[in-house]
């Protein structure tokens, strides 16, 4: 089935009804990466998405949960062979999570090493206030020919965009990012062939309500504005980027 849209970072299991969220992505023909925040959550997502044409499930260990859940890295390792996709993983050095940063780095390094040894993984990576540390670890432990990193909601500098591009990274951008001056600046610096879209639903709000699952139309339209092209052309670029990324 050929997708119409791409949502490369969504928390479908945090919508009120996971099954309904999966259906919503299928109905829209949105190729969706359903990220999970703990390895324990993988099984149910995987089961419910097993008959979906457009939803794929990642095994994750969210940096904001590492302090309580780092022990689940063993389960992460066990699940990893069942999926090509990994996320949400990464680092968060914001004030609420700074104290677990060392532990987060250990866990993220382990994740990257495990992915490097299985070779074809695609990772959705969180890098809040930790862009440099994320790129340092990716550079060291997940060489380009060993896996693919998609930086989700990237908030680093333009120089860091260039560094990430040189490391082979892609970027998934959402409508909130594309509505902020800094997000627009970052997005303009990303090469067109490295751009993907995401909702980050249900966390990103539109008129105070979560974005419907798999609805990236506004992100596509805002991205089109950045690239000075229409929505159809923007959609085509994102679809072909996803295809290229998954094939190489
Ligand atoms: Mn997320």
């Amino acid at each position: 089935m050929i997708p119409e849209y791409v949502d490369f970072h969504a928390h479908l299991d945090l919508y009120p009804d996971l099954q309904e969220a999966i259906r919503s992505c299928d109905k829209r023909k949105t190729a969706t990466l359903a990220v999970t925040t703990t390895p324990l959550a993988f099984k149910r997502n995987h089961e419910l998405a097993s008959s979906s044409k457009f939803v794929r499930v990642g095994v994750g260990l969210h940096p904001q949960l590492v302090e309580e859940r780092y022990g689940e890295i063993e389960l992460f390792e066990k699940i990893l062979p069942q999926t090509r996709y990994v996320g949400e993983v990464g680092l968060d050095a914001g004030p609420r999570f700074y104290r677990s940063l060392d532990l987060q780095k250990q866990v993220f390094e382990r994740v990257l090493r495990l992915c490097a040894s299985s070779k074809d993984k695609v990772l959705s990576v969180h890098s809040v206030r930790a862009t440099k540390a994320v790129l340092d670890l990716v550079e060291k432990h997940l060489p380009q020919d060993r896996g693919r990193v998609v930086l989700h909601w990237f908030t680093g500098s333009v120089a860091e965009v260039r560094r990430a591009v040189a490391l082979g990274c892609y970027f998934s951008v959402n409508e909130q990012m594309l509505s902020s001056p800094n997000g627009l600046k970052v997005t303009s610096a990303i090469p067109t062939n490295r751009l993907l879209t995401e909702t980050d639903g249900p966390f990103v709000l539109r008129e105070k309500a979560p974005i419907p699952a798999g609805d990236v139309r506004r992100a596509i339209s805002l991205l089109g504005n950045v690239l000075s092209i229409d929505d159809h052309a923007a959609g085509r670029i994102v679809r072909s980027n996803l295809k290229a990324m998954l094939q190489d």
Side-chain angles (χ1 to χ4, degrees):
M1 287 296 265
I2 296 169
E4 186 75 31
Y5 298 105
V6 176
D7 180 356
F8 211 74
H9 186 103
H11 297 268
L12 297 187
D13 62 353
L14 300 179
Y15 280 85
D17 182 340
L18 171 56
Q19 199 141 33
E20 180 51 41
I22 292 169
R23 264 199 296 270
S24 170
C25 296
D26 280 336
K27 214 166 59 195
R28 293 169 199 280
K29 299 190 179 174
T30 301
T32 304
L33 175 59
V35 295
T36 54
T37 55
T38 76
L40 268 181
F42 179 81
K43 191 165 180 266
R44 181 165 167 265
N45 278 265
H46 192 60
E47 277 165 11
L48 288 182
S50 62
S51 58
S52 164
K53 292 192 169 68
F54 295 101
V55 178
R56 300 293 176 265
V57 179
V59 57
L61 184 43
H62 197 294
Q64 297 177 351
L65 297 177
V66 157
E67 188 168 19
E68 306 144 48
R69 306 289 199 114
Y70 67 93
E72 284 184 44
I73 188 71
E74 308 296 332
L75 183 58
F76 176 96
E77 184 168 0
K78 236 181 257 167
I79 292 170
L80 194 58
Q82 293 178 47
T83 179
R84 185 175 179 198
Y85 301 95
V86 172
E88 182 164 1
V89 294
L91 299 178
D92 191 316
R96 284 170 59 209
F97 307 100
Y98 193 78
R99 66 175 183 185
S100 68
L101 190 59
D102 281 333
L103 191 56
Q104 292 179 42
K105 285 180 181 169
Q106 287 171 37
V107 167
F108 188 45
E109 178 177 333
R110 176 100 181 265
V111 164
L112 293 170
R113 284 169 173 275
L114 288 167
C115 290
S117 61
S118 42
K119 265 179 123 171
D120 70 333
K121 303 300 184 197
V122 182
L123 294 74
S124 181
V125 174
H126 175 114
S127 55
V128 169
R129 302 223 187 161
T131 319
K132 182 182 183 300
V134 163
L135 296 180
D136 286 348
L137 288 172
V138 167
E139 181 168 32
K140 202 158 167 205
H141 302 292
L142 189 64
Q144 280 190 63
D145 58 342
R146 290 271 169 181
R148 193 58 65 229
V149 167
V150 180
L151 295 161
H152 129 76
W153 202 334
F154 191 74
T155 53
S157 65
V158 167
E160 285 168 328
V161 168
R162 294 202 187 104
R163 182 178 172 210
V165 169
L167 294 173
C169 300
Y170 283 68
F171 299 80
S172 54
V173 301
N174 62 58
E175 66 180 59
Q176 194 168 317
M177 181 177 171
L178 291 165
S179 308
S180 87
N182 191 60
L184 287 169
K185 197 168 111 195
V186 166
T187 304
S188 322
I190 299 170
T192 308
N193 66 356
R194 297 294 181 88
L195 283 163
L196 299 171
T197 43
E198 63 169 45
T199 57
D200 201 14
F203 294 119
V204 169
L205 303 180
R206 183 191 288 164
E207 278 99 46
K208 293 183 184 155
I211 300 177
D215 182 5
V216 292
R217 287 173 301 178
R218 189 175 290 180
I220 283 290
S221 167
L222 293 167
L223 183 59
N225 295 346
V226 173
L227 302 174
S228 306
I229 53 178
D230 68 22
D231 298 11
H232 287 286
R236 206 157 41 232
I237 284 171
V238 170
R239 287 195 302 270
S240 86
N241 290 347
L242 178 70
K243 197 171 163 205
M245 179 181 78
L246 296 179
Q247 276 172 353
D248 93 319

